[in-house]
Amino acid sequence: MDYAKNPSDSSSPETQSTISGQGSKEQSPSDNDSSLRNLEKNPLESTEEVVTDVRKAKGVSTWKWVLTLITVYVTGALYGLDTTVAADVQGTVLEQFGEPEKLAWIGVGFPLGSVAVILSMGKAYGIFDVKWLFFATAVMFEVGSAICGAAPNMNALIIGRVIAGAGGAGIYLGGLNILSLLSSPRERPLYIAGTGVSWGVGTILGPIIGGAFAESSATWRWAFYINLVIFAVTCPVYIFAIPSLDPQPTLKLFQRLAAVDWLGTVLNAAIYAVWVLALTFGGAEWAWDDGRTIACFVTCGVLIILFGLQQRFKIFTTKAQRIFPAGFLESRSLVLQHFATACTTTTIFAPVYYIPLFFQFTRDDGAISAAVRLLPFICVTIFCIMFNGTLMPKFGYYQPWYIFGGIMITIGGALMFTVDSTTATSKVYGYSVILAIGTGVANQAAYSVTPVKVAMDPRFGPQMIPDAIGFINMAQIGAAVHALAISGTVFQNLAFQYLQSALAGYGYLDAQLHGAIAGTQSQLLAQATDAVRALALEAIVKAMSRVYILVIVAGGVLLISSLGMKTEKLFMEMSAGGA
């Protein structure tokens, strides 16, 4: 099919009248089965009417479809919420458990669990029934949340965060697959954009909910227990409303299990675990030239080589079953979509963690007040995601969105880099809005573009759409891990160096300086004179501003990537039938 021209030019009058609803007749069950087969063969050539027939063939009535959408979006919100909920409970957790050297793992543990399994999850959704895998990963997410809520010590909390992160990746990816399989190309961008909105809502509510529970009699534990309550409410929808979507119905269970690339899964998870270990402890607990830090980096490099060899030579797997879709690396378009998604995700996580922290240090905000300061950034990001999801499929061009996003992110990041302890609140809000515009207009675009590109490419085809979604999800979640780990390392190391320099003549111990970085309630900041406190805050905020170098780089890479994209028009089948 030629996607560069209007399908109405190549459609017969009979087809056009059927698409527009004129001259159609009531379909029999066999007609529905035929429509389903046609959709599975080439989903990009299907119309909304065919998709409606597929929903009917699957027993998805209007109310079931609405409940399915609500459940997918609620789980997306929970995934976003748990990504940032730790931001405002860390102080309370530290007071109860101690062990400040492990504090960073509460934040990074969740996305680490996600990225460790995202590739294998992407393949699994092409092997197992989407409905039941979606349900199973939701259960895993709840188990992790329960462990976090009941954690007796820091180690248990970290383990719970990693388990919840792995389950969260599954429910987020499952939701994207469900929406893709049960929606037409015309509907899909808006539905996919809805996942971005729900995730964004969860992201902003995360610090607020976490801070509210941390300051209440319910304690921080209910920041995690709340997930169990929501799951109990939505559980019937998982079981009764979402239809069975089995990509390979003829395979038996042992054949499905044998199709999983277990060795690749373990190697991929180990790469991220060792990498984050090196970044989290390097320069903070361990010196950069410490043998343990060096060993982590060397081990990570060796694991990357082993993973590459295992995937290249298909050791204990096959070309079709290996978890990394190596063939995608041959497509410039897919690689650039991957980079673009990673860049826009990076520009979300740095502000989400460091804007509230800025106001806690400079304005003495509490946990809830500091989280509310994120509203301009998150609200504008959500609006722009919806704006992109609505207009991009209407006009068909995707490259301009990325170009504009790269420019705005670079400008916004550069402005945030100039912020110091005396910068007016209105300026911080304004800079964050510029950053939000660039982030929002491009953040979810790849989820609409990539499935179309993959289905159109004869090297891949529609059967590779689940892999394509996993490929982009890997970029999104992997970027979250890298953004949190790198920004945390930059902030912790530079803040310590700047404090040492600023307070060199005051005789403070290293432990006191690290305590000041951990929060405004530290002994140093609480008991210092106004002059010393001003010096300390200036040093800490200066280190915080350096985090935005990562955002500036992300904006630049996004702009360069967008210039390498094709200036083409996709989604042309949306105009079929004169719609």
Side-chain angles (χ1 to χ4, degrees), residues 235-255:
C235 191
V237 179
Y238 286 92
I239 299 173
F240 300 111
I242 299 176
S244 174
L245 298 167
D246 195 339
Q248 301 190 48
T250 61
L251 292 185
K252 298 184 182 299
L253 179 60
F254 76 90
Q255 292 175 310

Side-chain angles (χ1 to χ4, degrees), residues 285-325:
E285 290 300 310
W286 308 334
W288 288 113
D289 58 355
D290 188 288
R292 292 168 293 184
T293 306
I294 296 172
C296 283
F297 281 119
V298 171
T299 302
C300 183
V302 171
L303 288 170
I304 290 173
I305 294 172
L306 290 176
F307 179 68
L309 292 174
Q310 187 261 343
Q311 294 290 293
R312 171 65 178 82
F313 295 104
K314 301 175 284 293
I315 301 172
F316 296 116
T317 187
T318 65
K319 181 178 180 180
Q321 295 168 355
R322 59 187 178 184
I323 63 170
F324 186 78

